[in-house]
Amino acid sequence: MSAAPVAVPAEGASDGRRGPRIAISQKVAVGVVYVAGLFLSTLDTTIVNVALPTIGRAFSVPSTAVDAVSVSYLVSLAVFVPASGWLGDRFGGKRTLLTAVAVFTAASALCGTASSLGELVAFRVLQGVGGGMLASVGMAMLLRAFPPAERVRASAVLSIANGLAPTLGPVLGGLLVTEVSWRAIFYVNVPIGLFATVFGVLCLRNEPARPTERFDLAGFLLAASGFGLVMYGVSEGPQQGWTTAPVAVGLACGVVLVAAMVVVELRKESPMIDVRLLTNRLFASGSTVMTVHSVAFLGTLFTITLYFQDERGMTPLASGLSTFPEAMGVVIGSQLASRLLYRRLRPRRHLMLGTAGTSAAIALMSLWHQDTDLWLVRLLLFCLGLAVGQVFVGTQSASFAMVTSASSGRASTLFNVGRRLGGALGVAVATTVLVTATGGRATAGGAPDMSGYRAAFLTAAALNLLGLYAATRVSDADAASTIPPRRASTKRATRCRQKGDSLPPPPPSPDQPTQH
């Protein structure tokens, strides 16, 4: 009598007690939950800005006070990102990621019910707790789910969230505030967050908790307070003035605390913020490209919004719709990068193309006038998106090639700290240049003239050239494991397996260094 066949569970399947109850690829499961959470977290950095005047009127507070709604969220993000890598390793990726998404979703619902500005600010801080945790933990899970050669595909999906959310925020925010209520900009997060949480509970595999050292309290306190103060100073500097006491003291103390954090963490074997990872040239170069790019990209988006609304007199909704071609460019550009350009050009030239193209597109925006044809404006925005898509895919694919699986959580933390601070700094730089170039008219109730916009665009383009220099330091040899094989090579490998022929050994992974 023949033995009964044994059912082999599909990837990601397991019993209901220890893993997902729906058999689904973990690449898909992690991608869906992480992209949904990242989209919400990124969307909230721009969607709220449109509603600030309405919120101020609803609570009868001046515009200078309602700004705390945005600043509190950014500061909370900066405070809780440093602990996210340790939490993911200590409690497991699935548990930490889903907790972060659930906290963000619950806080969004609470924001919609706020009855005072104080309550709203408190709930925004809670939102930042969830948003700060999910970015790094989700990225680490994605790095573990996708082998290096497939990360370019994952990066293309992530680029949709990174590129679409900042642009969609003003469109969706303007529509909801105009047609529904300011509270709707928070309620819109709830169904997406609930879907991501339920989907993750059913489909994500339980990641075992990784062995970790004791919680690095000193490192956390120094990093959280330092990054939080820097984020506060950068966010409030353009509004209050860089020389005012709160801003100047906050920035000075923040820089000192961050410097102290670096000194303390370098002396520890298992630091919370592993700054030693920056000695890896590939990771340091890729992280630098992303940080500098965040400064230029988000600063430019902010300037474009002001150009449409103040210079051309558009409504927030019309402004957002005119900016939308940029998001479409990111989506198309990221697909072009993942399917063709990253493999053909190799990481170094691919990142150089993306950063140079971004700087060129932003510099050309300085030629805009008040009556420049809108279709020409939209075409240039689309070209900007194409270039930005290359940077998103290239940095997220290549940066972690030499990072071991055990260090992926701490590397994701460093990467996201740079991205978050870079975005806030970009808006601050753009605002400061606009105010300086227009002699203060931008903050005295008057709209900045075209000289201010030109100066802001040229400044962003010039700053982004620092990213171009960092891209030249990317080594194709170090990032070789992330380059997808050509289709012909894949077909040859399949035929060899079918015939039983031997294949050449794959390149060594970061966990298995080459033997000399």
Side-chain angles (χ1 to χ4, degrees):
M1 179 182 295
S2 60
V6 178
V8 179
E11 179 188 357
S14 67
D15 60 31
R17 296 170 298 171
R18 298 184 59 82
R21 282 168 274 178
I22 297 179
I24 190 170
S25 167
Q26 285 305 286
K27 297 173 185 177
V28 174
V30 175
V32 168
V33 177
Y34 179 43
V35 169
L38 182 64
F39 180 84
L40 292 179
S41 175
T42 307
L43 180 72
D44 252 48
T45 60
T46 57
I47 192 174
V48 174
N49 293 335
V50 177
L52 289 181
T54 305
I55 293 173
R57 290 191 294 269
F59 292 139
S60 301
V61 296
S63 58
T64 53
V66 79
D67 187 51
V69 175
S70 292
V71 175
S72 59
Y73 177 70
L74 293 173
V75 171
S76 182
L77 281 175
V79 168
F80 285 95
V81 164
S84 56
W86 185 89
L87 290 170
D89 289 341
R90 175 64 180 82
F91 297 104
K94 175 181 177 179
R95 184 182 302 176
T96 307
L97 179 61
L98 293 185
T99 298
V101 175
V103 168
F104 186 90
T105 304
S108 297
L110 290 171
C111 286
T113 64
S115 59
S116 67
L117 181 64
E119 286 186 6
L120 182 56
V121 170
F123 296 146
R124 286 285 281 170
V125 171
L126 188 60
Q127 265 191 320
V129 175
M133 288 193 299
L134 72 84
S136 299
V137 175
M139 177 175 282
M141 292 180 67
L142 206 72
L143 292 173
R144 294 163 188 159
F146 284 84
E150 297 181 15
R151 287 175 188 169
V152 67
R153 292 165 44 200
S155 298
V157 178
L158 288 182
S159 298
I160 296 176
N162 286 327
L164 192 60
T167 308
L168 186 61
V171 179
L172 188 58
L175 182 63
L176 292 175
V177 171
T178 302
E179 302 297 332
V180 187
S181 165
W182 67 264
R183 299 181 186 274
I185 66 174
F186 298 109
Y187 288 140
V188 74
N189 295 334
V190 176
I192 302 176
L194 287 175
F195 163 76
T197 303
V198 173
F199 182 88
V201 169
L202 295 177
C203 301
L204 277 178
R205 183 168 55 212
N206 284 328
E207 279 194 348
R210 293 170 174 263
T212 59
E213 299 293 329
R214 294 175 57 186
F215 184 76
D216 180 10
L217 181 60
F220 171 72
L221 292 177
L222 288 171
S225 56
F227 290 138
L229 285 171
V230 169
M231 183 69 83
Y232 168 80
V234 166
S235 302
E236 287 293 275
Q239 303 297 328
Q240 297 187 25
W242 293 102
T243 58
T244 57
V247 173
V249 172
L251 282 174
C253 292
V255 170
V256 170
L257 288 170
V258 170
M261 179 268 295
V262 172
V263 173
V264 169
E265 298 297 77
L266 284 174
R267 296 177 178 177
K268 294 192 175 184
E269 293 184 5
S270 299
M272 178 166 292
I273 303 295
D274 193 356
V275 291
R276 283 187 291 261
L277 287 169
L278 295 177
T279 61
N280 179 327
R281 191 178 75 170
L282 180 60
F283 177 73
S285 299
S287 299
T288 301
V289 172
M290 176 54 83
T291 299
V292 173
H293 181 75
S294 297
V295 174
F297 176 56
L298 292 181
T300 298
L301 283 184
F302 174 78
T303 306
I304 290 169
T305 300
L306 291 182
Y307 166 77
F308 280 139
Q309 295 185 28
D310 293 341
E311 189 68 21
R312 306 196 66 138
M314 292 183 174
T315 64
L317 180 58
S319 169
L321 290 174
S322 293
T323 310
F324 205 69
E326 181 274 331
M328 292 297 97
V330 171
V331 173
I332 295 172
S334 61
Q335 297 303 313
L336 184 64
S338 65
R339 297 174 184 272
L340 179 66
L341 294 179
Y342 187 82
R343 185 185 72 244
R344 289 282 182 89
L345 296 177
R346 305 298 183 178
R348 178 174 172 271
R349 286 184 295 174
H350 181 245
L351 277 174
M352 290 175 63
L353 173 68
T355 51
T358 300
S359 284
I362 296 174
L364 287 173
M365 292 176 186
S366 66
L367 302 177
W368 287 350
H369 299 282
Q370 188 177 14
D371 56 352
T372 300
D373 188 279
L374 272 179
W375 286 109
L376 292 177
V377 171
R378 292 165 184 152
L379 177 62
L380 185 53
L381 286 172
F382 178 77
C383 293
L384 171 65
L386 288 178
V388 167
Q390 312 311 309
V391 179
F392 281 156
V393 171
T395 54
Q396 292 169 157
S397 300
S399 299
F400 298 89
M402 302 296 290
V403 175
T404 65
S405 178
S407 299
S408 58
R410 287 172 290 176
S412 299
T413 297
L414 271 177
F415 190 84
N416 279 284
V417 164
R419 187 169 64 89
R420 296 289 188 184
L421 289 176
L425 182 60
V427 175
V429 169
T431 305
T432 301
V433 172
L434 283 167
V435 171
T436 303
T438 56
R441 290 190 298 277
T443 57
D449 55 30
M450 283 308 303
S451 64
Y453 297 115
R454 293 191 186 100
F457 287 135
L458 290 174
T459 300
L463 286 174
N464 197 56
L465 293 178
L466 297 174
L468 177 59
Y469 171 74
T472 64
R473 296 182 57 79
V474 170
S475 168
D476 289 340
D478 289 345
S481 62
T482 68
I483 303 174
R486 296 181 182 275
R487 289 186 177 182
S489 300
T490 305
K491 292 179 180 178
R492 184 177 67 85
T494 302
R495 288 196 300 268
C496 289
R497 291 191 191 97
Q498 292 172 346
K499 295 179 180 180
D501 296 338
S502 60
L503 292 171
S509 70
D511 298 295
Q512 297 174 332
T514 304
Q515 298 296 321
H516 295 286

